[in-house]
Amino acid sequence: QLPALIISTAAGVVVTRVSSDMDLGRQIRDQFFIHPKAIGTAAGILLLLGLVPGLPQLPFLLLATLSGTAAYYISQGQRRAEEERQMVEREAPSAPAEEAIDPLEALAPIDLLELEVGYGLIPLVDVEQDGELLSRIRSVRRQIAQELGAMVPPLHIRDNLQLKPGEYSILIKGVEVARGELMLDHYLAMSPGETSGEIQGIPTTEPAFGLPAYWIRAEEKEKAQFAGYTVVDLSTVIITHLTEVIKQHIHELLSREDVQKLLNRFAQDYPKVVEELVPAQLSLGGVQKVLQNLLREQIPIRDLLTILETLADYAPLIKDPLILTEYVRQSLARVITKKWATPEGELGAVILAFEAEEKLSKAIQRTDHGSYLALDPTTTQRLIGELSKAVERWPVERYPVPILLTAPLIRPHVKRLIESFLPQLVVLSHNEILSTVRINNLGVVRI
């Protein structure tokens, strides 16, 4: 049996040999010693055979020792060779390797939402150092989703050595949209309007709303609170600023993929509404533009049933997303009224004069790709000037947000015209306000 086994093994080795210029003996030797694990396994088997009663122990133990020693030295040699290879690769110039990489493959996808912090703010985001910023960011995402109905993409946080130690930057799609600087080991004290005393601190400006504030030390915190100041820590300052930035740019973060997810989830309860609208009457991109127009002016999109049914009613006749948005806003009159009216059911607003509305309506130009307002610079400057005066005289203590009432036809064009100059001014049409709300006329804007 032993000669037959040896002959069969030899025949298998010869038959399965890979063709090469190397002789058979050298090739078997090199392949045999290339895998130290195989030799180590053989050493273990020989050791077990040497322990079996009735078999010659000395030869098996001697072969097991030789095989185990060989496996150990071969493994150590391969490890040293690998370390030397890695050292050579680190010391070698990286230009050839970089040239070999495809530039398109090297480009990483851009993050929709990023927060860059200076090295002094790293403890705020490090969980091991009791940093609470990450958990509060998750709460902000849930809050905005519940408030506006839009999904906020994950926030990518990283340190940036180019920033100052207490500085942070908020980026959307790789471009910085806001920046702030904090004073480490300090608190931010803001005056709500009425305070009972002075505090010692460094004057500054609150980054989210631009309000005057003071940086105070920890030992001054209780004194400032007792004096009536609102005192917040560094994490709260960043979270407040981040929340406002996300709300201002939430329409930019709503992608087609997000809209498709919303429709898929909504179709589980109302499949016919989605089937009728998308893509038969309106494309996915058209629905996205309408939702973006609503979010652009902080109108919640949680009531998808009303939004999609309104689009299904008007989409067969109208394809302009701007006009479709106005019809949707009128259907959401209850939501809009509740958002801007006072708890007593009162709405303070300035009203655009009839002559001004007529002049603006005549300046609207309609094309195959939509409509736009072609207003001369002089009229534009006068309109913005009059609206700025109305905002300056606005009774903030009674009505927190200034509101302008216009005709439905010109409402979106007026908003687009003034949003760069007066972003805080809310523009509503008469059809977006419920009849049960009492409108308090605070003035008439004329051109």
Side-chain angles (χ1 to χ4, degrees):
Q1 291 178 351
L2 288 179
L5 177 62
I6 295 174
I7 293 173
S8 299
T9 304
V13 171
V14 173
V15 171
T16 59
R17 178 195 177 197
V18 179
S19 299
S20 67
D21 297 334
M22 192 182 302
D23 61 89
L24 178 61
R26 184 178 177 185
Q27 191 174 6
I28 291 177
R29 183 196 63 192
D30 292 344
Q31 292 185 5
F32 185 76
F33 290 106
I34 199 172
H35 297 296
K37 289 184 179 180
I39 304 176
T41 303
I45 295 175
L46 291 172
L47 179 62
L48 292 177
L49 291 176
L51 299 178
V52 175
L55 293 180
Q57 295 183 350
L58 183 60
F60 281 112
L61 294 179
L62 181 60
L63 289 174
T65 303
L66 293 176
S67 300
T69 304
Y72 174 77
Y73 282 106
I74 293 173
S75 176
Q76 293 297 320
Q78 290 181 352
R79 183 178 301 176
R80 286 194 296 269
E82 178 66 19
E83 293 177 355
E84 293 177 358
R85 184 185 65 81
Q86 293 179 357
M87 186 178 299
V88 171
E89 288 181 354
R90 287 195 297 265
E91 295 177 354
S94 59
E98 293 177 355
E99 293 176 358
I101 299 176
D102 188 355
L104 296 179
E105 296 179 357
L107 291 176
I110 194 171
D111 292 312
L112 294 180
L113 194 58
E114 293 180 83
L115 175 64
E116 295 183 348
V117 297
Y119 68 86
L121 301 179
I122 292 179
L124 299 180
V125 299
D126 190 359
V127 180
E128 297 181 356
Q129 302 184 43
D130 297 331
E132 58 178 6
L133 196 60
L134 293 178
S135 60
R136 299 186 66 175
I137 287 174
R138 286 192 290 268
S139 301
V140 167
R141 294 179 62 200
R142 287 194 297 267
Q143 173 191 343
I144 295 178
Q146 294 175 356
E147 181 179 344
L148 297 177
M151 294 179 290
V152 180
L155 179 69
H156 181 207
I157 304 178
R158 62 181 180 185
D159 60 322
N160 188 347
L161 297 179
Q162 296 180 354
L163 297 176
K164 297 178 181 179
E167 202 171 24
Y168 65 91
S169 174
I170 303 174
L171 294 84
I172 292 181
K173 298 180 180 179
V175 180
E176 181 181 305
V177 295
R179 177 178 291 210
E181 186 174 0
L182 310 179
M183 184 166 288
L184 304 178
D185 300 327
H186 282 70
Y187 288 86
L188 186 68
M190 297 170 291
S191 173
E194 296 182 0
T195 55
S196 59
E198 297 291 334
I199 59 174
Q200 295 181 356
I202 302 174
T204 184
T205 301
E206 194 272 336
F209 303 100
L211 302 175
Y214 294 92
W215 289 115
I216 62 174
R217 295 187 175 275
E219 52 267 21
E220 296 287 333
K221 179 181 177 181
E222 294 184 1
K223 180 181 178 181
Q225 291 176 338
F226 184 76
Y229 285 84
T230 302
V231 182
V232 295
D233 56 7
L234 301 184
S235 298
T236 304
V237 176
I238 298 179
I239 287 297
T240 305
H241 196 185
L242 180 64
T243 303
E244 292 303 314
V245 170
I246 293 177
K247 287 183 178 180
Q248 293 174 7
H249 299 271
I250 188 64
H251 61 283
E252 301 179 33
L253 302 175
L254 185 68
S255 63
R256 279 178 168 84
E257 190 68 25
D258 296 332
V259 176
Q260 187 63 59
K261 292 179 181 178
L262 290 175
L263 294 179
N264 293 340
R265 190 182 309 165
F266 183 78
Q268 297 177 2
D269 299 325
Y270 303 94
K272 294 299 180 182
V273 178
V274 179
E275 291 176 4
E276 180 184 357
L277 179 62
V278 182
Q281 303 295 343
L282 196 63
S283 64
L284 181 65
V287 177
Q288 178 199 14
K289 288 182 175 62
V290 173
L291 297 180
Q292 285 179 332
N293 290 339
L294 294 173
L295 292 174
R296 188 187 189 100
E297 300 187 42
Q298 303 299 302
I299 304 299
I301 61 173
R302 295 189 61 185
D303 190 4
L304 270 181
L305 179 60
T306 301
I307 295 173
L308 297 182
E309 286 184 342
T310 304
L311 291 178
D313 293 337
Y314 292 97
L317 305 174
I318 303 170
K319 300 301 180 183
D320 188 354
L322 203 61
I323 300 179
L324 289 175
T325 303
E326 294 307 303
Y327 283 113
V328 172
R329 288 176 62 99
Q330 294 173 19
S331 300
L332 296 175
R334 185 179 293 104
V335 177
I336 295 176
T337 302
K338 181 180 179 181
K339 183 177 181 63
W340 303 119
T342 62
E344 294 79 16
E346 186 177 354
L347 185 71
V350 292
I351 300 175
L352 198 60
F354 175 76
E355 297 80 5
E357 290 184 345
E358 187 176 6
K359 189 169 186 177
L360 292 174
S361 62
K362 292 180 179 178
I364 297 176
Q365 302 294 325
R366 293 176 174 81
T367 64
D368 296 336
H369 302 286
S371 57
Y372 64 94
L373 185 63
L375 200 63
D376 61 276
T378 303
T379 306
T380 302
Q381 187 175 2
R382 290 177 180 174
L383 175 62
I384 295 175
E386 293 298 324
L387 291 175
S388 299
K389 295 178 183 178
V391 171
E392 292 176 358
R393 298 191 300 264
W394 190 263
V396 181
E397 64 283 352
R398 187 174 180 184
Y399 305 106
V401 180
I403 297 176
L404 172 66
L405 280 182
T406 67
L409 179 64
I410 64 173
R411 192 214 70 83
H413 302 288
V414 173
K415 178 60 179 177
R416 294 290 175 88
L417 180 66
I418 68 173
E419 64 180 352
S420 299
F421 305 95
L422 300 169
Q424 73 276 24
L425 181 60
V426 177
V427 182
L428 303 178
S429 69
H430 301 281
N431 295 349
E432 298 171 1
I433 302 175
L434 295 178
S435 58
T436 56
V437 175
R438 185 170 65 88
I439 300 177
N440 186 9
N441 186 358
L442 300 179
V444 179
V445 178
R446 306 180 187 277
I447 303 179

